[in-house]
Every structure is written in structure tokens, then in C-alpha cells.
Amino acid sequence: FAENGNSHVLAFSDRRLNPSIYIYTFPELTKLTELKGNDVLDYTLLALSFTGPYLASFSSIPEFILSIWNWQENMLLCSESQPGVTATSMSFNPMNWQQLCLVDESNVTIWHIERNNDEHHLKQCLLLFHSPVELPDAQGSVSHHMDLFFPISYDEDPYYGPLLPVSAIAGLAGDEAETFVPRNYIKPLLHPTAHCWSATSEVYVGCKEGYVLAIDAETCGVSVLQQKPLSPHLINQPHVDLYFSAQEGILFFYQIKGLQYEMKIYADILQPISSLIFSPDYTVLLLVTDQV
């Protein structure tokens, strides 16, 4: 299910074999179109762009395909296979429909929708080694990458012979040698739980471990905005301010300028908050809890 309050349209899909995606107006509930793709089981995520008639869909087992549609023309623009990726959330950049954020349990991927006349192509915002955005480790460090090929260096020639790559010391060859990481260099990474876009095309990400990150959608550079472990559940972004909920039932308000911010306690409802939803004009904020 997805909605666009500005355009007064909503999208949803079937739960059956060979599902379709339906686009309706709201609140009239007038059917606008029906999109039929090649996915045979289920769509797990849908997202409507804030500008233009575009929709993103993500399918589950067995395809794991990210697709971009022009629903107004009933046309599939492009798609990309993501084998084994279990996506948890997805959204377009409100300021630029050609940028899309896809979040799974351990990664954040920024997709760019490149266009050449009538041709469209999905391209990842790559950070290192053709991977999604690599998140900081559990201590909030964004500088945990080191030279794992030669992790130890000497100012002078080593006394005990030539300096060997760690993969050679481990007796590995081929693909295993290129991806091998010594166990003592492996650090636990953060786990993203929610995200939102800013008016300056940054992505704010709330993590299970309590950190809030800022990701540049163009460079995929990651900065730690909040390092205190607040156990975040979901964040939302109206224009230039950030609202952030903690599992303890506290709603925080961030006023952000670059990487500097001022945080205030906006409300304390004494119950765990499960989600935050803004009205289309951002004048009303709905807080949802799991408890009655």
C-alpha cells in the first residue's frame, strides 16, 4: 500500500498469484489504472513519488525485483534484480523523483533513476566495492574501513621476510582471497529501522541501536547525527525539522542545521510508539501505539 496526499492517489496490490497494482483516487476511490508486471507471487513494498506519476514496487520471493513505473501511461520504465534482499522500507526523494531510498535489515541503498530520452536505467549510489551504503559500526564509527589486504605496514623492510596479504597467509586463492576479512577485523554494523528525506536531499536513518545517521544521496557519505542510544522506532521529516520517536514513548524534535542540531522533548505519551504519520499538509501528526 502507498499513498500520495499531494496528488490524492493511492496504490495497492493483490495478494495472489500474478498480482496487479491498482491506482485509485482518494477519497473518491475512482480507479485510474491497473499495472501488470511479471512478478508471480507478491509485492512487499510500494512507493509513490511526490512529483510526477511514478511508482516504485519491490517484489518478494523468488524474484526480489525493484521496478519503476509510470502509472499514468501504464508503463514499466526499468527494473533491477536484488537477489536475497528483504527490503523493509522504500521511498522517493520528495524533491527529486529520480532518487529512491531502499532499506533492508542491514543496508541502505540509494538508487538513481537515470534517463536518456525514453530509456530509463536504475543505478546504485556506490560507496565501496559496488556495495550499498555501508553503515557505521555499533560504536557509531564511520571510519572502520582499513586496508584489509595489507592491514599491517612497516616503515622499514620486515626482518622476517616479505609482507604477505592476510588472504595469502590464510592459504586462500581466487574470489575467496579478494573478499576475505580476518575475524578480529569484523565489527558489528548498525541495523536501520526507519528513514526519511530532508528538503536538501539527505536521508536521515534511525537505527535499532539508537543512532541517527545522515546520508548524502549524491555521494553516499555517512555522518552520525545522534550517538546517544535512544532505541528509535521510527522517524519522519516534514520540510526541515525531524521528529524522532523512542521505544519509551517519548517524541523528540530536532531542529537541524548541517550536522548541528538542537533536540527538545516534544511529547511523552508513556507508551511505546509504533509509527508516526503526518497529514498531507504537515499540520497534524498522528502517533500510533500498540497498546490500548
Side-chain angles (χ1 to χ4, degrees):
F1 177 84
E3 53 79 25
N4 184 341
N6 294 327
S7 302
H8 300 286
V9 297
L10 57 87
F12 60 92
S13 65
D14 293 321
R15 302 300 300 270
R16 60 177 177 85
L17 291 177
N18 302 311
S20 297
I21 301 173
Y22 303 93
I23 310 294
Y24 277 73
T25 61
F26 183 84
E28 296 86 0
L29 296 181
T30 302
K31 182 178 177 180
L32 295 177
T33 189
E34 177 180 347
L35 307 175
K36 293 185 178 181
N38 297 321
D39 301 302
V40 297
L41 287 184
D42 190 19
Y43 292 103
T44 56
L45 293 174
L46 299 175
L48 286 164
S49 65
F50 288 79
T51 57
Y54 303 103
L55 177 138
S57 64
F58 192 85
S59 61
S60 62
I61 296 174
E63 295 92 356
F64 296 105
I65 294 178
L66 172 65
S67 301
I68 306 298
W69 308 75
N70 183 325
W71 60 261
Q72 207 166 59
E73 298 182 9
N74 205 328
M75 181 185 300
L76 176 63
L77 300 180
C78 54
S79 60
E80 190 75 23
S81 178
Q82 294 289 284
V85 173
T86 304
T88 56
S89 61
M90 175 175 66
S91 67
F92 282 95
N93 182 348
M95 311 302 293
N96 179 7
W97 73 270
Q98 291 180 263
Q99 290 181 335
L100 181 79
C101 180
L102 184 70
V103 178
D104 61 49
E105 295 176 350
S106 57
N107 295 300
V108 178
T109 307
I110 307 297
W111 289 93
H112 292 264
I113 305 167
E114 298 185 342
R115 180 176 180 179
N116 182 15
N117 294 325
D118 294 332
E119 295 184 0
H120 296 75
H121 178 70
L122 278 166
K123 180 181 179 181
Q124 278 184 321
C125 178
L126 305 178
L127 187 63
L128 288 173
F129 306 109
H130 303 282
S131 66
V133 176
E134 297 207 16
L135 302 180
D137 59 33
Q139 285 72 46
S141 172
V142 295
S143 59
H144 59 280
H145 291 289
M146 61 183 70
D147 187 356
L148 296 176
F149 197 69
F150 292 103
I152 302 175
S153 61
Y154 299 97
D155 294 334
E156 300 178 357
D157 292 338
Y159 178 78
Y160 294 103
L163 181 63
L164 298 177
V166 290
S167 57
I169 297 173
L172 301 176
D175 294 339
E176 288 185 345
E178 295 185 9
T179 59
F180 174 72
V181 179
R183 179 175 297 179
N184 56 321
Y185 289 110
I186 298 176
K187 296 183 180 181
L189 299 183
L190 298 178
H191 298 84
T193 57
H195 77 280
C196 62
W197 291 86
S198 74
T200 55
S201 296
E202 286 185 315
V203 181
Y204 293 121
V205 180
C207 300
K208 181 181 179 181
E209 292 76 10
Y211 294 89
V212 180
L213 311 177
I215 300 176
D216 188 307
E218 294 293 336
T219 65
C220 287
V222 182
S223 303
V224 179
L225 185 65
Q226 169 64 266
Q227 297 192 31
K228 295 180 180 180
L230 296 174
S231 302
H233 190 92
L234 191 141
I235 54 178
N236 208 320
Q237 164 67 40
H239 307 303
V240 295
D241 299 323
L242 179 67
Y243 290 82
F244 175 95
S245 68
Q247 292 179 354
E248 294 81 5
I250 301 175
L251 178 66
F252 295 92
F253 169 77
Y254 287 76
Q255 194 163 28
I256 302 173
K257 293 182 179 179
L259 292 179
Q260 303 297 320
Y261 64 91
E262 179 182 356
M263 182 183 73
K264 298 179 180 179
I265 295 179
Y266 197 79
D268 186 355
I269 63 173
L270 304 177
Q271 295 184 32
I273 299 172
S274 61
S275 61
L276 303 175
I277 305 173
F278 271 98
S279 62
D281 58 0
Y282 290 103
T283 59
V284 179
L285 175 63
L286 175 66
L287 279 67
V288 181
T289 66
D290 293 330
Q291 301 178 9
V292 178

